């Protein structure tokens, strides 16, 4: 997301973010975006009944943390002039009309699997200025949890971390996004069936088979654990800055 915002010329603290879905995944994603600089008051979360706002009396304690003090009530209301749409809900819930209403240079993360909230070809048919990512390997910009979880645990275990704290998560975020800006090894191109991968709208996130993820992500997490006091031992000798 941070890479996409950079490419689109947007700042995370200024972005209007719409989150379709209000379950554990949605809440965790929005909490992490806030740790990375997003403003809570610019996040509009929706569940099956519409926008989660401060005057609703039917939301649990987890949703209440994202209740927005707004008069906007529907998906169409909040998607208008939105910079970012994050979908962790279900298939085909974002329409072409919705995409047309978004701000210039919009960003869509349609992460429902196997069918995303909107198919990339439909989104591209109405906007030529967008960046879109999905959870699928047959589209560019696959958001795949294998990019992070094995390496976060590797870094945490290697320093015997007592917890995985926010600093460790944010360290993983930046380690992953920085890899996308590096030249892509031939082995990754071959494994992904691509002739070239260059940081830009069609390549904002590393491929899951990128071997650099282990060292970069595990190392960043381990160093963050040591820096924040979560580690119970020093960095192993094979961890370098």
């Amino acid at each position: 997301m941070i890479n996409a915002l950079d490419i689109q010329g947007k700042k995370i603290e200024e972005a209007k973010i719409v989150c379709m879905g209000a379950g554990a995944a949605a809440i965790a994603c929005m909490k992490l975006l806030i740790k990375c600089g997003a403003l809570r008051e610019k996040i509009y979360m929706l569940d099956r009944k519409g926008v989660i706002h401060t005057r609703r009396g039917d939301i649990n304690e987890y949703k209440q943390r994202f209740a927005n003090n707004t008069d906007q009530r529907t998906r169409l209301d909040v998607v208008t002039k939105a910079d970012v749409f994050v979908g962790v809900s279900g298939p085909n819930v974002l329409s072409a009309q919705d995409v047309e209403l978004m701000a210039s240079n919009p960003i869509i993360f349609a992460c429902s699997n196997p069918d995303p909230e909107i198919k990339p070809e439909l989104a591209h048919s109405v906007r030529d200025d967008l960046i879109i990512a999905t959870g699928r390997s047959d589209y560019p910009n696959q958001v795949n949890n294998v990019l992070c979880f094995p390496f976060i645990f590797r870094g945490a275990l290697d320093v015997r971390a007592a917890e995985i704290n926010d600093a460790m998560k944010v360290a993983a975020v930046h380690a992953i996004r920085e890899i996308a800006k590096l030249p892509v090894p031939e082995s990754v191109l071959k494994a992904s069936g691509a002739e070239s991968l260059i940081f830009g709208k069609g390549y904002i996130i590393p491929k899951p088979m990128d071997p650099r993820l282990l060292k970069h992500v595990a190392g960043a997490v381990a160093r963050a654990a040591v820096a924040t006091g979560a580690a119970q031992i020093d960095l192993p000798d094979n961890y370098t800055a």
Side-chain angles (χ1 to χ4, degrees):
M1 183 64 72
I2 296 171
N3 280 351
L5 288 163
D6 286 346
I7 293 167
Q8 298 290 59
K10 297 174 184 281
K11 296 180 179 179
I12 192 169
E13 65 271 17
E14 296 175 355
K16 178 183 179 182
I17 300 170
V18 174
C19 180
M20 178 68 75
I27 290 169
C29 288
M30 293 304 105
K31 286 171 66 177
L32 186 55
L33 279 180
I34 289 170
K35 291 295 180 182
C36 291
L39 297 183
R40 190 180 298 267
E41 58 267 28
K42 288 184 174 290
I43 294 175
Y44 298 82
M45 186 176 283
L46 298 102
D47 62 10
R48 290 182 177 86
K49 296 182 179 179
V51 176
I52 295 173
H53 57 84
T54 53
R55 288 180 286 283
R56 277 182 56 176
D58 61 342
I59 51 178
N60 61 37
E61 61 181 294
Y62 305 104
K63 293 181 182 182
Q64 284 174 357
R65 298 172 188 173
F66 290 93
N68 197 299
N69 186 17
T70 179
D71 293 327
Q72 299 181 64
R73 297 290 182 264
T74 69
R75 184 188 72 253
L76 282 176
D77 289 338
V78 294
V79 83
T80 300
K81 298 300 181 184
D83 298 291
V84 173
F85 173 90
V86 177
V88 277
S89 53
N92 305 315
V93 296
L94 189 70
S95 69
Q97 179 189 9
D98 295 331
V99 177
E100 287 181 305
L101 291 172
M102 293 181 72
S104 61
N105 300 320
I107 298 162
I108 297 171
F109 274 41
C111 297
S112 176
N113 260 337
D115 297 312
E117 281 75 9
I118 186 170
K119 288 193 166 58
E121 53 267 35
L122 178 56
H124 283 300
S125 74
V126 294
R127 297 293 293 261
D128 59 7
D129 60 343
L130 64 80
I131 290 176
I132 184 166
T134 71
R136 287 180 40 166
S137 60
D138 54 342
Y139 290 116
N141 299 324
Q142 183 192 16
V143 180
N144 189 326
N145 62 6
V146 78
L147 287 164
C148 61
F149 77 81
F151 315 120
I152 290 175
F153 283 112
R154 178 74 275 162
L157 289 168
D158 282 347
V159 293
R160 306 299 186 266
E163 63 176 353
I164 296 177
N165 60 32
D166 288 333
M168 294 160 70
K169 297 174 193 174
V170 173
V173 166
H174 291 296
I176 292 168
R177 78 181 190 90
E178 287 162 5
I179 292 174
K181 298 182 179 182
L182 301 174
V184 179
E186 186 64 33
S187 62
V188 176
L189 295 178
K190 184 177 180 180
S192 60
E195 292 186 6
S196 68
L197 290 169
I198 300 172
F199 181 66
K201 289 185 176 183
Y203 179 63
I204 62 171
I205 189 169
K207 293 292 185 179
M209 68 285 293
D210 196 314
R212 298 170 296 179
L213 287 160
L214 172 57
K215 181 178 179 180
H216 281 67
V217 180
V221 169
R223 288 189 289 275
V226 171
T228 57
Q232 299 184 82
I233 62 172
D234 293 332
L235 279 174
D237 292 340
N238 62 320
Y239 277 82
T240 58

